[in-house]
Amino acid sequence: QVQLVESGGGSVQAGGSLRLSCAASGRRYCMGWFRQAPGQEREGVARIYSHTGGTHYADSVKGRFTISQDNAKNTLYLQMNNLQPEDTAMYYCAAVGDIGSCQWSMFDYWGQGTQVTVSS
């Protein structure tokens, strides 16, 4: 069983930065960050393979967001730079528990979410 707890959300002005953290327990094949804005579908933001560290980003955040992990601390991070109002959303940490695929649709464990609000 995988358990995930996010922290680090908040409110910033456009151009600012935030770092999200996700404390994880249980075996994970890969981990990622998703976000959901009011009235919109949840979208994958970034994902990382737990063993290789390979990463993948949504086009909307490439060059601005960086996903990383500290396996010794069982913690996942999302460094978000040059934040824009369109980044405003609830951000969720997620994991794939079983070995297989890291496609967005395969994530099956979720944290409770942390709010990120960016003002112009």
Side-chain angles (χ1 to χ4, degrees), residues 99-116:
I99 293 175
S101 170
C102 282
Q103 295 300 314
W104 298 125
S105 61
M106 298 304 294
F107 283 79
D108 50 1
Y109 291 94
W110 300 89
Q112 81 285 355
T114 185
Q115 179 69 37
V116 172

Side-chain angles (χ1 to χ4, degrees), residues 46-102:
R47 62 186 187 234
I48 185 168
Y49 285 82
S50 297
H51 293 293
T52 67
T55 59
H56 176 81
Y57 295 91
D59 288 343
S60 58
V61 305
K62 281 181 182 177
R64 300 189 299 123
F65 291 12
T66 303
I67 188 171
S68 63
Q69 60 188 0
D70 184 333
N71 288 334
K73 296 182 178 180
N74 287 315
T75 302
L76 179 74
Y77 302 100
L78 185 68
Q79 178 66 43
M80 305 183 293
N81 297 328
N82 191 22
L83 283 160
Q84 300 300 314
E86 54 265 34
D87 296 315
T88 295
M90 184 71 78
Y91 283 71
Y92 297 90
C93 175
V96 175
D98 292 326
I99 293 175
S101 170
C102 282

Side-chain angles (χ1 to χ4, degrees), residues 12-65:
V12 296
Q13 291 189 328
S17 298
L18 283 173
R19 188 176 80 157
L20 306 182
S21 299
C22 174
S25 62
R27 187 175 67 179
R28 293 93 57 195
Y29 180 62
C30 55
M31 297 190 70
W33 292 96
F34 290 70
R35 66 186 182 186
Q36 187 168 22
Q40 296 186 21
E41 293 187 356
R42 185 173 59 197
E43 64 171 344
V45 174
R47 62 186 187 234
I48 185 168
Y49 285 82
S50 297
H51 293 293
T52 67
T55 59
H56 176 81
Y57 295 91
D59 288 343
S60 58
V61 305
K62 281 181 182 177
R64 300 189 299 123
F65 291 12

